[in-house]
Amino acid sequence: VILWRRRGVLVFGVFRLFVLVSPHLCRFIYLWSLMWTLGMVDGGSNIVEANWESVSSILQMSGMIAGSALCQTFHTREGCLKAACNLVQCGITNMCVIGGDGSLTGANLFRKEWSGLPEELAKNGHIEKEAVQRYAYLNVVGMVGSIDNDFCAQSHQRTFFLEVLGQHCGYLALVSVLACGADWVFLPESPPEEGWEEQMCVKLSKNRARKKRLNIIIVAEGAIDTQNKPITSEKIKELDTCMTILGHVILASRMGAEVVIALGNHAVRLPLMECVQMTQDVQKAMDERRFQDAVRLQGKSFVGNLNTYKRLAIKLPDDQIPKTNCNVAVINVGPPAAGMNAAVRSAVRVGIAHGHRMLAIYDGFDGFAKGQIKEIGWTDVGGWTGQGGSILGTKRILPGKYLEEITTQMRMHSINALLIIDGFEAYLGLLELSAAWEKHEEFCVPMVMVPTTVSNNMPGSDFSIGADTALNTITDTCDRIKQSASGTKSHVFIIETMGGYCGYLANMGGLAAGAHAAYIFKEPFNIRDLQSNVEHLTEKMKTTIQRGLVLRNESCSENYTTDFIYQLYSEEGVFGCRKNVLGHMQQGGAPSPFDRNFGTKISARTVEWITTKLKEAWGRGKKFTTDDSVCVLGISKRNIIFQPVAELKKETDFEHRIPKEQGWLKLRPLMKILAKYKASYDVSDLGQLEHVQPWSV
C-alpha cells in the first residue's frame, strides 16, 4: 500500500481496511513523495509488513503515521531500478497507490517501465534470473485521494476572502460555496466574465446596504480569468478595502473503508488511466481557454453544483424574472435534523428564481391549520445554510385531524404546490393528504418530500439529510470517550445511539469509530451471541489492544437493554466497563458540510420538479390526482429519483418505521472483519466513466 504525499485521515481508514481484510498480503511502504516514494527507492526498514495490531487505534488520528519525503532519484532510471529491486526482494507484485493525478500517473509510468526492470536487474546481478519470470508483471490499483475534496468555511464578521487548495480543480471551492452560502466563487474551470471586478463590488455594496453582516468570497488557488491570467488574493484585496484574507483554510474529513457509501454514493471500480486522462483533459481545455469544455469534463455532478451555485448566489432583478402566479409552500414536519434549514433556503431561492411566490409554513401541520403562513423572500433565508435545528419550527403532529382547517388555509393562500422537508412523519403526512383527494380538491396539487432525519429510516432513499451530521457526532464522541481512557488499561465502553428501529447510526458509527460490535434490530441476537462477543473481546484484551467499544441501537432488543449488556460485560471481570447514552445530542449542532450540500442540491431538485409539474397545468386548471404527483425525492444506488409514495407503501415496515430493504446492511460483514471476526465482504460494483466529447461546445 503506497500513500500519497499530502496529509489526510483517509490514509488511516483505507490502510487499516487493507491490512484487516488481507492480513497476509499487506506490506507498508513508510515514505512517499510527490510522484513516488523515497521509501520504495531506499528500501530496507522503510518497507515493513503491517499486521493487525499495527493499525489498531489509528482511525481518529490526523496527519501521516509514516512521514513523507520527496524523491528526485525516482525520476531517473537508476531510481526506478532501485525501487524495482526492493519490491522484488520483498516479493511484491501488487500495489495499491493512493493519491492524486500526479501520483497515479507516476504509478502508471512505473508499471509501463516494469517489464524491462527485472531483466536489467538480473543482468546486473542484483536479483536471481529465476525471479525475472516470477516478477514479470506489476499490478497497480489506484485510489483517488486528495484533500481538495472536502472543505467548509465559516466566519463571523466583515467580508472574508478564502483561498482554498485546488490548483487545477475547483471542486473544493465549489462545494464550499454551497456548504457555507458564500457570495462569490472563482474557479479555474469557469472564469468570471469580463467586468467581474465591478460586478462583485456592486454585489458586496448591495449586501452591506441590506445590513448583511457576513460576505464570503472563495477562490481556488488556480483561479484564472478569461485570458488565463491568475486571480490572486492580492488582486481581490485591492478591489475592496473591507476585505480580510484568511488564506488557505482546510478542514480534513473523516473517511475510511467505504465511507462514500455512507455519504449516499457507491464505490465502483473504474479504469485507472482513463480517470487520469480525463483529469489531464480538463487542464488542457483550460490552457486552450475552452472553459465550457473544462466544466463539462469535470462531470455532471460538477456542472450541477455550478448551476445550483449560480441559482442561489445571484438574484436577477424582479423585473427580469417572469412571474408564474403560482404559490409554493414549504413546511417542516417531525423532529429537527441538521441541514433542513439549508434545504429550506435552497427551495425558497430556486422557487423565486423560477418566478414562484414562496410561502413559509411555521410549526408544522399544527401551524398550517392555524394559519401560521407568510411569504418568505430571498434575503429572509440568508445565512440559513449553517444553522442547526429548524428555523421554521416543526412538530410531530400529523395532518389527519386537521384536514378541514388545512383545506381552508390551502384555499385562502391559493397554494399550488407543497414541499415537505422532514422524516417519517412527513412521509405519513403525504399519505394522509393524498388519501383525502376525493373529499378535498385543494389537496390535488403537486406534493413532494425531501427526506430529512438523523435516523436515515426513510423508504425511497438510501440517505437522508441530517444523518451525516449525527454520524459525525457519534464518531467524535466515541473518539473522545476512547481517549478519556488512554492512560488506563482494559476498558470497554457501551454506547447507545438513536435511530428508533433503524440501526444505521449504530452500524456506521461502529464502523467509523472502530467498534468491537454494534447491535441492531435488523440482525437479531441472543444471549449466546452476546457471550461469544464478550469472549472474543476478552481474547483481544490479552494482546496490546486495551480498549473496546460496543455500540447499541436504542431499539435493537426489548430485553437486551443497554444496562443488561453493560452488566454482562462488567461481570466478566477482565476489563472495566462504562456506558453512555448519547441521546439528543445526535440531533443538535451545526450541519456537516455534506448535509449542507446535500440539502441544498436535493431541495433545489424538488423545486425544479414542482416547476415542471406546474407548467403542465398552466392555463388548463389541471388537478393532480395521479400517483406521480405525490413523491419522495431520494438517492437510490447513486441515482436521484422521484418515487410516488403510493408505490413506496409496499416497501415500508410501518410498525417499525423503517424500509423493508436497507442497502447499508451490506456493510455489516465489513465491520465484523475489522473487529477480527471471520466474514466475507464485497459490495463494490463495476462502474462506467461518464465520457464527454472534449471538443464539443
Side-chain angles (χ1 to χ4, degrees):
V1 180
I2 299 179
L3 307 176
W4 80 104
R5 178 174 62 94
R6 293 177 176 176
R7 297 189 177 104
V9 288
L10 171 64
V11 173
F12 306 110
V14 173
F15 178 57
R16 182 172 183 266
L17 173 64
F18 278 118
V19 175
L20 301 190
V21 173
S22 305
H24 304 297
L25 301 179
C26 281
R27 291 169 184 256
F28 189 30
I29 298 177
Y30 264 103
L31 297 177
W32 56 91
S33 68
L34 177 63
M35 286 292 290
W36 257 135
T37 67
L38 174 62
M40 190 163 66
V41 173
D42 287 351
S45 60
N46 292 317
I47 304 177
V48 298
E49 185 171 352
N51 57 35
W52 194 281
E53 294 180 18
S54 65
V55 294
S56 296
S57 302
I58 67 170
L59 280 174
Q60 72 276 11
M61 297 174 65
S62 58
M64 294 183 289
I65 57 174
S68 71
L70 294 173
C71 181
Q72 296 299 324
T73 308
F74 188 77
H75 293 239
T76 65
R77 181 71 174 180
E78 180 184 0
C80 289
L81 285 170
K82 287 182 179 180
C85 183
N86 289 327
L87 293 183
V88 170
Q89 290 175 353
C90 292
I92 296 174
T93 57
N94 302 283
M95 293 196 302
C96 174
V97 181
I98 306 173
D101 59 335
S103 300
L104 300 181
T105 301
N108 189 56
L109 292 175
F110 185 55
R111 179 188 61 81
K112 289 181 177 179
E113 293 181 8
W114 180 267
S115 59
L117 296 176
E119 292 182 2
E120 189 171 343
L121 289 172
K123 184 178 179 180
N124 296 334
H126 295 299
I127 63 173
E128 299 293 334
K129 292 183 178 180
E130 293 78 12
V132 176
Q133 182 79 14
R134 192 161 57 249
Y135 299 98
Y137 299 97
L138 177 67
N139 299 315
V140 177
V141 176
M143 292 185 66
V144 179
S146 171
I147 57 174
D148 294 355
N149 208 32
D150 191 6
F151 171 84
C152 171
Q154 292 188 62
S155 306
H156 300 285
Q157 57 183 348
R158 303 184 62 187
T159 297
F160 285 103
F161 171 86
L162 290 90
E163 181 178 304
V164 304
L165 298 183
Q167 239 180 8
H168 308 298
C169 177
Y171 175 84
L172 179 59
L174 184 54
V175 296
S176 302
V177 173
L178 298 180
C180 66
D183 301 272
W184 204 278
V185 64
F186 294 94
L187 307 172
E189 300 93 340
S190 182
E193 298 177 356
E194 296 291 339
W196 62 267
E197 297 93 339
E198 182 179 353
Q199 294 176 20
M200 186 184 71
C201 291
V202 168
K203 180 174 182 178
L204 294 178
S205 298
K206 288 182 178 179
N207 287 345
R208 292 182 185 127
R210 293 198 304 262
K211 310 251 182 236
K212 184 178 179 182
R213 289 195 316 158
L214 172 64
N215 293 285
I216 299 177
I217 299 172
I218 295 177
V219 62
E221 61 178 339
I224 53 177
D225 62 17
T226 53
Q227 304 302 315
N228 277 16
K229 295 180 180 179
I231 297 177
T232 63
S233 57
E234 289 76 14
K235 183 175 182 178
I236 298 179
K237 174 67 175 177
E238 293 173 358
L239 302 175
D240 193 331
T241 57
C242 295
M243 194 174 298
T244 301
I245 297 176
L246 298 184
H248 291 69
V249 181
I250 298 296
L251 300 181
S253 69
R254 178 172 284 102
M255 299 176 66
E258 292 196 30
V259 75
V260 286
I261 296 179
L263 297 183
N265 298 301
H266 282 222
V268 296
R269 298 188 292 271
L270 296 169
L272 168 62
M273 291 319 299
E274 284 193 52
C275 299
V276 174
Q277 183 60 49
M278 289 185 69
T279 302
Q280 295 172 346
D281 288 343
V282 174
Q283 183 60 47
K284 182 179 179 182
M286 290 190 289
D287 293 340
E288 297 173 357
R289 296 167 60 186
R290 294 183 290 108
F291 298 113
Q292 290 185 5
D293 284 345
V295 171
R296 295 167 70 176
L297 283 166
Q298 290 286 23
K300 292 180 180 179
S301 176
F302 189 93
V303 174
N305 288 340
L306 184 59
N307 290 336
T308 301
Y309 154 70
K310 291 178 179 178
R311 278 285 176 86
L312 298 179
I314 304 171
K315 181 181 182 295
L316 294 175
D318 290 338
D319 58 359
Q320 295 183 23
I321 301 176
K323 304 303 179 185
T324 64
N325 297 320
C326 291
N327 296 332
V328 179
V330 183
I331 184 174
N332 292 158
V333 182
M340 60 182 1
N341 294 320
V344 172
R345 168 184 175 269
S346 176
V348 169
R349 291 195 170 182
V350 174
I352 292 174
H354 278 294
H356 305 317
R357 178 169 175 259
M358 301 302 295
L359 302 175
I361 301 173
Y362 293 84
D363 293 336
F365 286 117
D366 183 47
F368 201 168
K370 295 176 181 178
Q372 295 175 214
I373 306 169
K374 73 173 186 178
E375 184 174 358
I376 188 167
W378 185 281
T379 58
D380 294 330
V381 294
W384 282 29
T385 305
Q387 298 293 317
S390 171
I391 296 177
L392 293 184
T394 179
K395 293 184 179 180
R396 292 177 178 266
I397 296 174
L398 295 177
K401 60 181 180 180
Y402 297 114
L403 291 179
E404 293 293 341
E405 293 86 347
I406 293 175
T407 298
T408 301
Q409 296 300 328
M410 292 276 290
R411 186 167 52 251
M412 286 178 57
H413 292 87
S414 301
I415 295 176
N416 305 108
L418 182 63
L419 170 58
I420 305 179
I421 300 173
D422 217 288
F424 211 86
E425 278 75 14
Y427 174 58
L428 296 176
L430 272 182
L431 290 172
E432 292 185 0
L433 292 176
S434 60
W437 278 340
E438 294 184 3
K439 293 183 178 180
H440 306 282
E441 65 176 12
E442 288 80 4
F443 296 142
C444 298
V445 298
M447 293 185 283
V448 63
M449 171 194 161
V450 174
T452 310
T453 169
V454 300
S455 301
N456 197 34
N457 63 335
M458 271 305 304
S461 184
D462 296 336
F463 203 75
S464 300
I465 301 170
D468 181 67
T469 302
L471 189 57
N472 286 347
T473 300
I474 293 170
T475 305
D476 289 341
T477 304
C478 288
D479 289 344
R480 290 172 182 269
I481 288 173
K482 287 194 295 183
Q483 290 168 4
S484 71
S486 59
T488 61
K489 291 185 177 181
S490 301
H491 263 75
V492 176
F493 298 94
I494 314 297
I495 311 294
E496 181 182 301
T497 66
M498 295 179 69
Y501 288 96
C502 181
Y504 175 83
L505 292 179
N507 186 75
M508 303 309 294
L511 188 61
H516 167 72
Y519 301 114
I520 63 174
F521 173 76
K522 290 290 284 186
E523 192 173 277
F525 56 96
N526 54 36
I527 191 64
R528 287 180 293 276
D529 297 321
L530 292 172
Q531 182 180 359
S532 176
N533 294 152
V534 173
E535 293 172 353
H536 186 77
L537 185 56
T538 301
E539 289 300 315
K540 289 172 68 174
M541 288 290 185
K542 294 178 181 179
T543 66
T544 57
I545 298 173
Q546 294 299 312
R547 291 187 298 278
L549 186 67
V550 175
L551 270 68
R552 178 189 177 274
N553 166 246
E554 60 182 346
S555 300
C556 67
S557 173
E558 183 178 353
N559 298 313
Y560 301 125
T561 63
T562 301
D563 287 335
F564 180 91
I565 295 176
Y566 161 72
Q567 292 173 9
L568 182 66
Y569 276 78
S570 298
E571 283 297 319
E572 191 67 18
V574 177
F575 33 69
C577 197
R578 300 288 186 274
K579 64 177 178 179
N580 294 84
V581 178
L582 301 186
H584 285 80
M585 66 181 295
Q586 297 160 85
Q587 285 185 331
S592 67
F594 176 82
D595 277 331
R596 300 180 195 200
N597 280 287
F598 185 44
T600 296
K601 291 186 285 188
I602 199 171
S603 187
R605 186 72 67 88
T606 60
V607 178
E608 301 282 355
W609 178 86
I610 287 174
T611 302
T612 301
K613 288 289 184 182
L614 292 176
K615 284 182 179 179
E616 297 174 0
W618 283 352
R620 292 184 293 169
K622 177 182 176 181
K623 294 181 180 179
F624 296 88
T625 56
T626 57
D627 289 345
D628 64 353
S629 61
V630 182
C631 292
V632 172
L633 174 59
I635 289 182
S636 179
K637 296 181 179 179
R638 303 191 300 273
N639 297 313
I640 296 180
I641 58 176
F642 290 89
Q643 299 183 69
V645 292
E647 296 179 6
L648 291 175
K649 288 173 65 176
K650 59 178 178 285
E651 302 176 15
T652 307
D653 178 355
F654 286 97
E655 179 184 356
H656 299 106
R657 297 164 62 94
I658 57 175
K660 293 180 180 178
E661 301 292 334
Q662 299 176 82
W664 57 265
L665 286 170
K666 295 179 180 178
L667 293 174
R668 289 291 290 173
L670 176 59
M671 200 197 71
K672 294 178 181 179
I673 290 173
L674 298 180
K676 210 173 181 180
Y677 290 95
K678 291 183 179 180
S680 59
Y681 164 73
D682 182 15
V683 298
S684 61
D685 302 316
L686 286 172
Q688 292 185 345
L689 284 175
E690 176 193 341
H691 292 285
V692 181
Q693 295 296 329
W695 297 102
S696 60
V697 179

